[in-house]
Amino acid sequence: MGRLCGIAKPKAAIVLMQMGRLCGIAKLKAAIVHRELQFYNSSIKTGDLAGTLNLWIEEIKCGPAGHGIRIKSRARRSTGFIGGVRFIGDAINNVTNPATIDEHQYCRQNPNCPISLNINISSAKTSYNVLTYGARPNGKTDSTQAFLHAWTAACGSTDPTMIYIPKGRYLLGSVAFTGGNCKSPDITIRIDGTLIAPEDYRILGRASNWLSFERVSGVSIVGGALDAKGSPLWDCKSKGSNCPAGATTLSFVNSNNIKITGLLSLNSQMFHIVINGCHNVQVQGVRVIAAGDSPNTDGIHVQLSTDVVIMNSSIKTGDDCISIGPGTKNLWIERVRCGPGHGISIGSLAKSMDEPGVQNVTVKSTIFTGTTNGFRIKSWARHSTGFVQAIRFIGATMINVQNPIIIDQNYCPHNLNCPNQVSGIQISDVIYQGIRGTSATPVAIKFDCSFKYPCKGITLQNVNLTYLNKEARSTCTNAIGKISGQVQPDNCL
């Protein structure tokens, strides 16, 4: 063949050998299954290349234009698989991504990308089915001990393992999965069913966490739903009764190399997902759903953690969609939809005198709908050694948001037991870029900073926020910074 312009998508047993130049190839369109195909001595300068079953590709030149030969899938459920693939003897010259497997982000920059579970790329893992250990998918039998036994077995293996939870509803009480003695370097928990909390909210409400992972490494949670049945506790709290505090649905503490993909969290009693004291965490394709008036039901809370990524997620809840606590460093948030909720918040900070800072946080391509806040930095008005620096809010759409951009260093909800001091949190190097949309109140930008430690290095770049199709207002107190490009409302820095 002189030119190869398109074939079918690969299924298995693919071999690619002795490529003269691999600079990028293009996308395959045919949806049929091909078998026993062979391609030799071809040159491809456009499109994608892939195959199906028992495909042999040899001595192919690709480029200068094209997207290469890669493994990619959309982040949605599928029965598809990829296995038996060999890339042998390739020459890579000036290629942006020489070797790529993209199971999560492939969506061609479409803002409506699917956020559910994608296909499974097979790997050699020993599987432990919770049914084998006595779990019952009827939603009535307590399966807590069965899950713990499956965890113990998976931990005891020296190989990569998978705990499999088939379709069905599994009743679980409060359970802690600990990793201090785990031998397995990689444990995947594949959930095809729904885990449900006890009907009596007091049983779970007296615990700090429903499902907690402590001192684990290399744990991945894939798919499934967690239904904490939190609404009776919310009702109790709204009536001012003698109610338990409530439990966080899913908590990772002092853990490393964690992945949460395609998970649905429903009606948490308190926080939905907590990342505390962790390193290298990836959260993708997560959905959080709770009532807009549910108390203290933060979607994802991160604190004392480094190198955390949150992407392609949708959060509807009664508190912060994402809350960022002290000691957070190198946090990346991208393509998150928020609302209802209280927005994406750094803080509250200055809860204690000796507090680590928040630094290197980037939030990109977010959409806020009907939230109380968009981007918020909040601290109590008390002394603290904490700080906030190197923060980037980039490319957001605000739809009827009460406080699209706000820094509040006199934070005191309900004006109860306010410290009435001066915030010691030092805020610097914060950039708001490409923020557009509508404010539900006349004041779209509010910077209320500390008298002793004014906010410094605040930049507004290409911001356009309106109120009822009119110009909104901005207010600044103890804030120092600059504007760049077109900024509406008018600058008050």
Side-chain angles (χ1 to χ4, degrees):
M1 294 183 181
R3 291 178 61 87
L4 173 63
C5 297
I7 7 178
K9 298 180 180 176
K11 296 295 179 184
I14 303 168
V15 178
L16 301 103
M17 297 184 62
Q18 299 178 1
M19 296 194 175
R21 290 184 64 196
L22 174 59
C23 304
I25 313 185
K27 303 179 175 69
L28 299 212
K29 303 301 181 184
I32 60 175
V33 175
H34 293 285
R35 299 173 184 268
E36 309 297 345
L37 300 181
Q38 299 183 16
F39 300 98
Y40 292 92
N41 302 321
S42 299
S43 176
I44 304 170
K45 297 183 180 180
T46 183
D48 270 357
L49 181 62
T52 45
L53 183 63
N54 299 332
L55 171 64
W56 184 286
I57 301 173
E58 186 173 350
E59 296 183 7
I60 295 295
K61 295 181 180 180
C62 172
H67 293 173
I69 299 176
R70 54 185 165 166
I71 298 174
K72 62 185 180 181
S73 73
R74 293 182 180 272
R76 58 164 61 99
R77 294 185 183 275
S78 172
T79 59
F81 65 92
I82 297 173
V85 179
R86 306 292 185 268
F87 297 100
I88 304 170
D90 304 325
I92 309 292
N93 297 321
N94 196 29
V95 173
T96 303
N97 299 298
T100 299
I101 297 177
D102 187 352
E103 288 196 84
H104 305 297
Q105 301 176 31
Y106 175 65
C107 196
R108 286 183 271 184
Q109 300 179 341
N110 185 342
N112 297 314
C113 296
I115 59 174
S116 59
L117 186 63
N118 57 334
I119 69 169
N120 175 47
I121 291 191
S122 61
S123 59
K125 291 188 177 182
T126 304
S127 181
Y128 299 86
N129 191 319
V130 295
L131 299 181
T132 304
Y133 296 89
R136 294 293 177 264
N138 56 20
K140 299 177 180 179
T141 304
D142 189 340
S143 296
T144 305
Q145 290 303 313
F147 274 63
L148 279 173
H149 291 327
W151 172 261
T152 300
C155 277
S157 172
T158 57
D159 298 323
T161 57
M162 180 176 73
I163 298 174
Y164 180 55
I165 304 166
K167 292 181 180 179
R169 296 173 65 80
Y170 300 84
L171 175 63
L172 291 183
S174 177
V175 56
F177 302 99
T178 58
N181 296 319
C182 265
K183 298 177 182 178
S184 177
D186 179 355
I187 301 177
T188 297
I189 302 174
R190 171 65 183 261
I191 308 173
D192 283 345
T194 299
L195 312 187
I196 62 173
E199 291 289 344
D200 185 348
Y201 67 85
R202 292 169 294 186
I203 296 175
L204 196 60
R206 290 189 288 266
S208 298
N209 300 289
W210 180 21
L211 309 173
S212 65
F213 292 81
E214 303 171 9
R215 303 186 309 279
V216 301
S217 181
V219 170
S220 300
I221 296 179
V222 181
L226 310 177
D227 186 356
K229 299 183 178 295
S231 56
L233 177 59
W234 310 336
D235 293 340
C236 178
K237 290 181 176 181
S238 69
K239 297 173 183 177
S241 306
N242 184 20
C243 311
T248 290
T249 290
L250 177 63
S251 174
F252 281 89
V253 179
N254 298 328
S255 300
N256 301 317
N257 306 322
I258 304 302
K259 294 182 180 180
I260 306 171
T261 304
L263 180 70
L264 168 62
S265 178
L266 288 169
N267 300 326
S268 182
Q269 290 189 342
M270 287 279 286
F271 290 15
H272 287 259
I273 300 173
V274 168
I275 308 298
N276 183 10
C278 297
H279 172 72
N280 190 22
V281 179
Q282 297 180 28
V283 180
Q284 298 213 41
V286 163
R287 288 184 295 156
V288 168
I289 300 176
D293 59 352
S294 55
N296 302 117
T297 53
D298 293 39
I300 302 173
H301 177 74
V302 182
Q303 69 176 31
L304 299 172
S305 297
T306 59
D307 299 328
V308 177
V309 175
I310 303 170
M311 296 187 67
N312 300 326
S313 296
S314 172
I315 302 173
K316 302 176 180 181
T317 192
D319 211 295
D320 293 327
C321 290
I322 300 176
S323 54
I324 304 163
T328 300
K329 182 178 180 181
N330 301 336
L331 170 62
W332 186 280
I333 300 169
E334 186 171 359
R335 294 195 294 274
V336 168
R337 299 190 295 273
C338 172
H342 293 181
I344 295 178
S345 297
I346 297 177
S348 58
L349 305 177
K351 292 182 179 179
S352 63
M353 176 65 183
D354 188 12
E355 189 175 86
V358 176
Q359 56 187 318
N360 298 336
V361 175
T362 299
V363 185
K364 291 185 65 177
S365 304
T366 47
I367 300 175
F368 299 85
T369 304
T371 54
T372 55
N373 306 286
F375 298 126
R376 173 168 62 161
I377 301 174
K378 56 181 178 178
S379 73
W380 295 84
R382 62 165 58 96
H383 300 295
S384 176
T385 59
F387 62 88
V388 176
Q389 68 180 25
I391 311 299
R392 304 292 182 263
F393 299 116
I394 302 171
T397 300
M398 307 283 177
I399 304 171
N400 199 36
V401 175
Q402 292 182 31
N403 301 291
I405 295 175
I406 180 170
I407 296 178
D408 182 4
Q409 292 204 258
N410 291 288
Y411 176 71
C412 186
H414 313 299
N415 291 317
L416 297 175
N417 301 315
C418 302
N420 295 320
Q421 301 175 29
V422 177
S423 176
I425 301 294
Q426 301 186 48
I427 299 174
S428 63
D429 188 17
V430 181
I431 296 177
Y432 303 88
Q433 177 184 334
I435 316 299
R436 302 179 182 278
T438 57
S439 173
T441 62
V443 178
I445 300 175
K446 180 180 180 180
F447 297 135
D448 184 9
C449 299
S450 169
F451 173 77
K452 186 175 182 180
Y453 300 104
C455 300
K456 298 179 180 180
I458 308 298
T459 299
L460 295 170
Q461 180 178 355
N462 296 324
V463 174
N464 186 3
L465 296 167
T466 61
Y467 169 65
L468 297 178
N469 295 320
K470 299 181 294 185
E471 288 188 5
R473 294 190 291 114
S474 63
T475 65
C476 299
T477 303
N478 305 315
I480 303 170
K482 64 180 182 180
I483 66 170
S484 175
Q486 297 294 319
V487 175
Q488 290 291 339
D490 290 338
N491 173 43
C492 67
L493 292 170

mmCIF file of all heavy atoms in Angstrom, residues 175-211:
data_model
loop_
_atom_site.group_PDB
_atom_site.id
_atom_site.type_symbol
_atom_site.label_atom_id
_atom_site.label_comp_id
_atom_site.label_asym_id
_atom_site.label_seq_id
_atom_site.Cartn_x
_atom_site.Cartn_y
_atom_site.Cartn_z
ATOM 1 N N VAL A 175 -16.346 1.301 58.239
ATOM 2 C CA VAL A 175 -15.278 0.329 58.045
ATOM 3 C C VAL A 175 -13.984 1.058 57.694
ATOM 4 O O VAL A 175 -13.985 2.010 56.910
ATOM 5 C CB VAL A 175 -15.654 -0.694 56.947
ATOM 6 C CG1 VAL A 175 -16.006 -0.007 55.639
ATOM 7 C CG2 VAL A 175 -14.559 -1.720 56.747
ATOM 8 N N ALA A 176 -12.877 0.609 58.295
ATOM 9 C CA ALA A 176 -11.554 1.197 58.043
ATOM 10 C C ALA A 176 -10.674 0.155 57.360
ATOM 11 O O ALA A 176 -10.456 -0.932 57.906
ATOM 12 C CB ALA A 176 -10.918 1.668 59.347
ATOM 13 N N PHE A 177 -10.173 0.494 56.187
ATOM 14 C CA PHE A 177 -9.234 -0.357 55.458
ATOM 15 C C PHE A 177 -7.828 0.187 55.717
ATOM 16 O O PHE A 177 -7.497 1.280 55.253
ATOM 17 C CB PHE A 177 -9.543 -0.353 53.965
ATOM 18 C CG PHE A 177 -10.944 -0.807 53.635
ATOM 19 C CD1 PHE A 177 -11.948 0.112 53.369
ATOM 20 C CD2 PHE A 177 -11.256 -2.149 53.598
ATOM 21 C CE1 PHE A 177 -13.235 -0.298 53.067
ATOM 22 C CE2 PHE A 177 -12.548 -2.584 53.298
ATOM 23 C CZ PHE A 177 -13.533 -1.657 53.029
ATOM 24 N N THR A 178 -7.033 -0.546 56.439
ATOM 25 C CA THR A 178 -5.700 -0.067 56.799
ATOM 26 C C THR A 178 -4.638 -0.785 55.981
ATOM 27 O O THR A 178 -4.800 -1.941 55.598
ATOM 28 C CB THR A 178 -5.433 -0.285 58.297
ATOM 29 O OG1 THR A 178 -5.579 -1.674 58.601
ATOM 30 C CG2 THR A 178 -6.410 0.520 59.147
ATOM 31 N N GLY A 179 -3.538 -0.080 55.741
ATOM 32 C CA GLY A 179 -2.522 -0.626 54.851
ATOM 33 C C GLY A 179 -1.164 -0.822 55.470
ATOM 34 O O GLY A 179 -0.189 -1.014 54.748
ATOM 35 N N GLY A 180 -1.079 -0.755 56.773
ATOM 36 C CA GLY A 180 0.222 -0.862 57.403
ATOM 37 C C GLY A 180 0.953 -2.155 57.092
ATOM 38 O O GLY A 180 2.182 -2.177 56.958
ATOM 39 N N ASN A 181 0.210 -3.259 56.936
ATOM 40 C CA ASN A 181 0.832 -4.561 56.688
ATOM 41 C C ASN A 181 0.554 -5.084 55.280
ATOM 42 O O ASN A 181 0.753 -6.263 55.009
ATOM 43 C CB ASN A 181 0.331 -5.580 57.715
ATOM 44 C CG ASN A 181 0.739 -5.211 59.129
ATOM 45 O OD1 ASN A 181 1.861 -4.782 59.354
ATOM 46 N ND2 ASN A 181 -0.184 -5.360 60.074
ATOM 47 N N CYS A 182 0.097 -4.234 54.392
ATOM 48 C CA CYS A 182 -0.219 -4.676 53.032
ATOM 49 C C CYS A 182 1.053 -5.036 52.269
ATOM 50 O O CYS A 182 2.026 -4.288 52.289
ATOM 51 C CB CYS A 182 -0.967 -3.580 52.271
ATOM 52 S SG CYS A 182 -2.749 -3.750 52.311
ATOM 53 N N LYS A 183 0.997 -6.159 51.570
ATOM 54 C CA LYS A 183 2.116 -6.579 50.731
ATOM 55 C C LYS A 183 1.882 -6.240 49.258
ATOM 56 O O LYS A 183 2.833 -6.075 48.503
ATOM 57 C CB LYS A 183 2.332 -8.077 50.870
ATOM 58 C CG LYS A 183 2.694 -8.528 52.282
ATOM 59 C CD LYS A 183 2.821 -10.052 52.356
ATOM 60 C CE LYS A 183 3.141 -10.506 53.767
ATOM 61 N NZ LYS A 183 3.218 -11.995 53.850
ATOM 62 N N SER A 184 0.634 -6.167 48.844
ATOM 63 C CA SER A 184 0.326 -5.894 47.444
ATOM 64 C C SER A 184 0.685 -4.458 47.089
ATOM 65 O O SER A 184 0.305 -3.517 47.790
ATOM 66 C CB SER A 184 -1.163 -6.125 47.157
ATOM 67 O OG SER A 184 -1.466 -5.800 45.812
ATOM 68 N N PRO A 185 1.412 -4.257 45.981
ATOM 69 C CA PRO A 185 1.801 -2.908 45.599
ATOM 70 C C PRO A 185 0.693 -2.131 44.903
ATOM 71 O O PRO A 185 0.815 -0.920 44.698
ATOM 72 C CB PRO A 185 2.969 -3.147 44.638
ATOM 73 C CG PRO A 185 2.640 -4.465 43.994
ATOM 74 C CD PRO A 185 1.959 -5.280 45.065
ATOM 75 N N ASP A 186 -0.382 -2.829 44.503
ATOM 76 C CA ASP A 186 -1.400 -2.199 43.669
ATOM 77 C C ASP A 186 -2.728 -2.917 43.918
ATOM 78 O O ASP A 186 -2.889 -4.081 43.551
ATOM 79 C CB ASP A 186 -0.984 -2.306 42.196
ATOM 80 C CG ASP A 186 -1.992 -1.694 41.237
ATOM 81 O OD1 ASP A 186 -3.057 -1.261 41.706
ATOM 82 O OD2 ASP A 186 -1.718 -1.666 40.022
ATOM 83 N N ILE A 187 -3.671 -2.230 44.558
ATOM 84 C CA ILE A 187 -4.975 -2.819 44.845
ATOM 85 C C ILE A 187 -6.049 -1.982 44.158
ATOM 86 O O ILE A 187 -6.226 -0.799 44.479
ATOM 87 C CB ILE A 187 -5.255 -2.891 46.355
ATOM 88 C CG1 ILE A 187 -4.180 -3.726 47.067
ATOM 89 C CG2 ILE A 187 -6.639 -3.475 46.614
ATOM 90 C CD1 ILE A 187 -4.347 -3.786 48.572
ATOM 91 N N THR A 188 -6.751 -2.583 43.215
ATOM 92 C CA THR A 188 -7.867 -1.928 42.546
ATOM 93 C C THR A 188 -9.170 -2.435 43.138
ATOM 94 O O THR A 188 -9.385 -3.647 43.238
ATOM 95 C CB THR A 188 -7.847 -2.209 41.037
ATOM 96 O OG1 THR A 188 -6.654 -1.665 40.472
ATOM 97 C CG2 THR A 188 -9.048 -1.583 40.348
ATOM 98 N N ILE A 189 -10.028 -1.515 43.537
ATOM 99 C CA ILE A 189 -11.353 -1.875 44.032
ATOM 100 C C ILE A 189 -12.347 -1.515 42.935
ATOM 101 O O ILE A 189 -12.649 -0.341 42.715
ATOM 102 C CB ILE A 189 -11.672 -1.148 45.344
ATOM 103 C CG1 ILE A 189 -10.613 -1.480 46.405
ATOM 104 C CG2 ILE A 189 -13.062 -1.522 45.842
ATOM 105 C CD1 ILE A 189 -10.765 -0.708 47.689
ATOM 106 N N ARG A 190 -12.800 -2.515 42.202
ATOM 107 C CA ARG A 190 -13.717 -2.319 41.079
ATOM 108 C C ARG A 190 -15.144 -2.504 41.579
ATOM 109 O O ARG A 190 -15.524 -3.585 42.012
ATOM 110 C CB ARG A 190 -13.402 -3.320 39.964
ATOM 111 C CG ARG A 190 -14.423 -3.366 38.837
ATOM 112 C CD ARG A 190 -14.480 -2.059 38.065
ATOM 113 N NE ARG A 190 -15.510 -2.124 37.046
ATOM 114 C CZ ARG A 190 -15.272 -2.394 35.764
ATOM 115 N NH1 ARG A 190 -14.042 -2.645 35.358
ATOM 116 N NH2 ARG A 190 -16.254 -2.398 34.891
ATOM 117 N N ILE A 191 -15.931 -1.417 41.503
ATOM 118 C CA ILE A 191 -17.288 -1.436 42.031
ATOM 119 C C ILE A 191 -18.273 -1.348 40.872
ATOM 120 O O ILE A 191 -18.359 -0.323 40.197
ATOM 121 C CB ILE A 191 -17.528 -0.271 43.019
ATOM 122 C CG1 ILE A 191 -16.448 -0.233 44.106
ATOM 123 C CG2 ILE A 191 -18.912 -0.392 43.652
ATOM 124 C CD1 ILE A 191 -16.539 0.982 45.010
ATOM 125 N N ASP A 192 -19.022 -2.423 40.652
ATOM 126 C CA ASP A 192 -20.106 -2.395 39.683
ATOM 127 C C ASP A 192 -21.458 -2.248 40.364
ATOM 128 O O ASP A 192 -22.482 -2.133 39.687
ATOM 129 C CB ASP A 192 -20.093 -3.671 38.834
ATOM 130 C CG ASP A 192 -18.994 -3.632 37.773
ATOM 131 O OD1 ASP A 192 -18.452 -2.539 37.513
ATOM 132 O OD2 ASP A 192 -18.671 -4.694 37.223
ATOM 133 N N GLY A 193 -21.467 -2.268 41.676
ATOM 134 C CA GLY A 193 -22.708 -2.152 42.428
ATOM 135 C C GLY A 193 -22.794 -0.847 43.195
ATOM 136 O O GLY A 193 -22.100 0.127 42.902
ATOM 137 N N THR A 194 -23.671 -0.837 44.209
ATOM 138 C CA THR A 194 -23.890 0.332 45.062
ATOM 139 C C THR A 194 -23.691 -0.069 46.516
ATOM 140 O O THR A 194 -24.275 -1.060 46.973
ATOM 141 C CB THR A 194 -25.311 0.891 44.878
ATOM 142 O OG1 THR A 194 -25.492 1.291 43.517
ATOM 143 C CG2 THR A 194 -25.553 2.087 45.789
ATOM 144 N N LEU A 195 -22.872 0.684 47.238
ATOM 145 C CA LEU A 195 -22.689 0.478 48.667
ATOM 146 C C LEU A 195 -23.647 1.412 49.390
ATOM 147 O O LEU A 195 -23.686 2.614 49.101
ATOM 148 C CB LEU A 195 -21.244 0.753 49.077
ATOM 149 C CG LEU A 195 -20.139 0.111 48.220
ATOM 150 C CD1 LEU A 195 -18.784 0.331 48.857
ATOM 151 C CD2 LEU A 195 -20.408 -1.359 47.980
ATOM 152 N N ILE A 196 -24.416 0.870 50.347
ATOM 153 C CA ILE A 196 -25.421 1.680 51.029
ATOM 154 C C ILE A 196 -25.179 1.663 52.531
ATOM 155 O O ILE A 196 -24.725 0.674 53.099
ATOM 156 C CB ILE A 196 -26.852 1.211 50.702
ATOM 157 C CG1 ILE A 196 -27.075 -0.217 51.186
ATOM 158 C CG2 ILE A 196 -27.128 1.321 49.211
ATOM 159 C CD1 ILE A 196 -28.521 -0.668 51.045
ATOM 160 N N ALA A 197 -25.496 2.790 53.161
ATOM 161 C CA ALA A 197 -25.352 2.928 54.612
ATOM 162 C C ALA A 197 -26.603 2.396 55.308
ATOM 163 O O ALA A 197 -27.661 2.230 54.689
ATOM 164 C CB ALA A 197 -25.129 4.391 54.969
ATOM 165 N N PRO A 198 -26.526 2.133 56.620
ATOM 166 C CA PRO A 198 -27.700 1.682 57.374
ATOM 167 C C PRO A 198 -28.832 2.712 57.331
ATOM 168 O O PRO A 198 -28.594 3.928 57.230
ATOM 169 C CB PRO A 198 -27.164 1.508 58.800
ATOM 170 C CG PRO A 198 -25.684 1.307 58.632
ATOM 171 C CD PRO A 198 -25.300 2.131 57.449
ATOM 172 N N GLU A 199 -30.071 2.235 57.404
ATOM 173 C CA GLU A 199 -31.225 3.132 57.377
ATOM 174 C C GLU A 199 -31.232 4.075 58.585
ATOM 175 O O GLU A 199 -31.608 5.244 58.456
ATOM 176 C CB GLU A 199 -32.524 2.306 57.350
ATOM 177 C CG GLU A 199 -32.759 1.555 56.058
ATOM 178 C CD GLU A 199 -33.117 2.473 54.901
ATOM 179 O OE1 GLU A 199 -33.471 3.642 55.161
ATOM 180 O OE2 GLU A 199 -33.032 2.017 53.738
ATOM 181 N N ASP A 200 -30.816 3.595 59.746
ATOM 182 C CA ASP A 200 -30.775 4.424 60.958
ATOM 183 C C ASP A 200 -29.532 5.314 60.885
ATOM 184 O O ASP A 200 -28.404 4.849 61.036
ATOM 185 C CB ASP A 200 -30.715 3.531 62.200
ATOM 186 C CG ASP A 200 -30.794 4.326 63.489
ATOM 187 O OD1 ASP A 200 -30.666 5.570 63.452
ATOM 188 O OD2 ASP A 200 -30.950 3.700 64.558
ATOM 189 N N TYR A 201 -29.733 6.597 60.657
ATOM 190 C CA TYR A 201 -28.615 7.522 60.467
ATOM 191 C C TYR A 201 -27.726 7.614 61.704
ATOM 192 O O TYR A 201 -26.553 7.994 61.612
ATOM 193 C CB TYR A 201 -29.130 8.909 60.084
ATOM 194 C CG TYR A 201 -29.894 9.624 61.178
ATOM 195 C CD1 TYR A 201 -29.230 10.375 62.149
ATOM 196 C CD2 TYR A 201 -31.277 9.566 61.239
ATOM 197 C CE1 TYR A 201 -29.934 11.030 63.143
ATOM 198 C CE2 TYR A 201 -31.985 10.215 62.226
ATOM 199 C CZ TYR A 201 -31.306 10.949 63.177
ATOM 200 O OH TYR A 201 -32.009 11.599 64.165
ATOM 201 N N ARG A 202 -28.243 7.252 62.872
ATOM 202 C CA ARG A 202 -27.450 7.366 64.102
ATOM 203 C C ARG A 202 -26.318 6.339 64.140
ATOM 204 O O ARG A 202 -25.280 6.575 64.774
ATOM 205 C CB ARG A 202 -28.359 7.213 65.318
ATOM 206 C CG ARG A 202 -29.338 8.367 65.504
ATOM 207 C CD ARG A 202 -30.386 8.059 66.529
ATOM 208 N NE ARG A 202 -31.262 6.963 66.082
ATOM 209 C CZ ARG A 202 -32.353 6.559 66.732
ATOM 210 N NH1 ARG A 202 -32.686 7.159 67.869
ATOM 211 N NH2 ARG A 202 -33.084 5.563 66.261
ATOM 212 N N ILE A 203 -26.507 5.194 63.469
ATOM 213 C CA ILE A 203 -25.459 4.174 63.460
ATOM 214 C C ILE A 203 -24.200 4.713 62.801
ATOM 215 O O ILE A 203 -23.097 4.621 63.338
ATOM 216 C CB ILE A 203 -25.964 2.915 62.726
ATOM 217 C CG1 ILE A 203 -27.131 2.288 63.478
ATOM 218 C CG2 ILE A 203 -24.830 1.912 62.552
ATOM 219 C CD1 ILE A 203 -27.764 1.117 62.748
ATOM 220 N N LEU A 204 -24.357 5.302 61.616
ATOM 221 C CA LEU A 204 -23.209 5.862 60.911
ATOM 222 C C LEU A 204 -22.828 7.230 61.460
ATOM 223 O O LEU A 204 -21.650 7.601 61.482
ATOM 224 C CB LEU A 204 -23.538 5.980 59.419
ATOM 225 C CG LEU A 204 -22.366 6.187 58.465
ATOM 226 C CD1 LEU A 204 -21.392 5.020 58.553
ATOM 227 C CD2 LEU A 204 -22.865 6.343 57.034
ATOM 228 N N GLY A 205 -23.833 7.969 61.947
ATOM 229 C CA GLY A 205 -23.596 9.350 62.394
ATOM 230 C C GLY A 205 -22.662 9.466 63.566
ATOM 231 O O GLY A 205 -22.030 10.518 63.766
ATOM 232 N N ARG A 206 -22.533 8.400 64.351
ATOM 233 C CA ARG A 206 -21.627 8.447 65.500
ATOM 234 C C ARG A 206 -20.183 8.164 65.113
ATOM 235 O O ARG A 206 -19.280 8.315 65.941
ATOM 236 C CB ARG A 206 -22.099 7.450 66.557
ATOM 237 C CG ARG A 206 -23.394 7.846 67.250
ATOM 238 C CD ARG A 206 -23.686 6.939 68.427
ATOM 239 N NE ARG A 206 -24.088 5.609 67.985
ATOM 240 C CZ ARG A 206 -25.357 5.219 67.825
ATOM 241 N NH1 ARG A 206 -26.335 6.081 68.046
ATOM 242 N NH2 ARG A 206 -25.638 3.988 67.434
ATOM 243 N N ALA A 207 -19.951 7.728 63.873
ATOM 244 C CA ALA A 207 -18.591 7.467 63.398
ATOM 245 C C ALA A 207 -18.047 8.701 62.682
ATOM 246 O O ALA A 207 -18.805 9.521 62.160
ATOM 247 C CB ALA A 207 -18.590 6.271 62.448
ATOM 248 N N SER A 208 -16.729 8.831 62.653
ATOM 249 C CA SER A 208 -16.127 9.947 61.916
ATOM 250 C C SER A 208 -16.179 9.714 60.416
ATOM 251 O O SER A 208 -16.340 10.651 59.636
ATOM 252 C CB SER A 208 -14.670 10.141 62.358
ATOM 253 O OG SER A 208 -14.581 10.473 63.723
ATOM 254 N N ASN A 209 -16.026 8.436 60.010
ATOM 255 C CA ASN A 209 -15.985 8.095 58.593
ATOM 256 C C ASN A 209 -16.843 6.872 58.323
ATOM 257 O O ASN A 209 -16.986 5.982 59.179
ATOM 258 C CB ASN A 209 -14.549 7.798 58.148
ATOM 259 C CG ASN A 209 -13.619 8.980 58.346
ATOM 260 O OD1 ASN A 209 -13.707 9.975 57.639
ATOM 261 N ND2 ASN A 209 -12.730 8.863 59.316
ATOM 262 N N TRP A 210 -17.386 6.826 57.119
ATOM 263 C CA TRP A 210 -18.077 5.616 56.684
ATOM 264 C C TRP A 210 -17.065 4.630 56.089
ATOM 265 O O TRP A 210 -16.835 3.567 56.635
ATOM 266 C CB TRP A 210 -19.159 5.967 55.662
ATOM 267 C CG TRP A 210 -19.936 4.783 55.159
ATOM 268 C CD1 TRP A 210 -20.059 3.565 55.761
ATOM 269 C CD2 TRP A 210 -20.701 4.718 53.954
ATOM 270 N NE1 TRP A 210 -20.849 2.728 55.003
ATOM 271 C CE2 TRP A 210 -21.267 3.411 53.893
ATOM 272 C CE3 TRP A 210 -20.981 5.618 52.936
ATOM 273 C CZ2 TRP A 210 -22.081 3.007 52.826
ATOM 274 C CZ3 TRP A 210 -21.787 5.219 51.888
ATOM 275 C CH2 TRP A 210 -22.324 3.921 51.839
ATOM 276 N N LEU A 211 -16.393 5.021 55.015
ATOM 277 C CA LEU A 211 -15.362 4.189 54.400
ATOM 278 C C LEU A 211 -14.044 4.940 54.470
ATOM 279 O O LEU A 211 -13.897 6.001 53.846
ATOM 280 C CB LEU A 211 -15.708 3.898 52.934
ATOM 281 C CG LEU A 211 -17.115 3.359 52.652
ATOM 282 C CD1 LEU A 211 -17.360 3.284 51.158
ATOM 283 C CD2 LEU A 211 -17.305 1.998 53.293
#
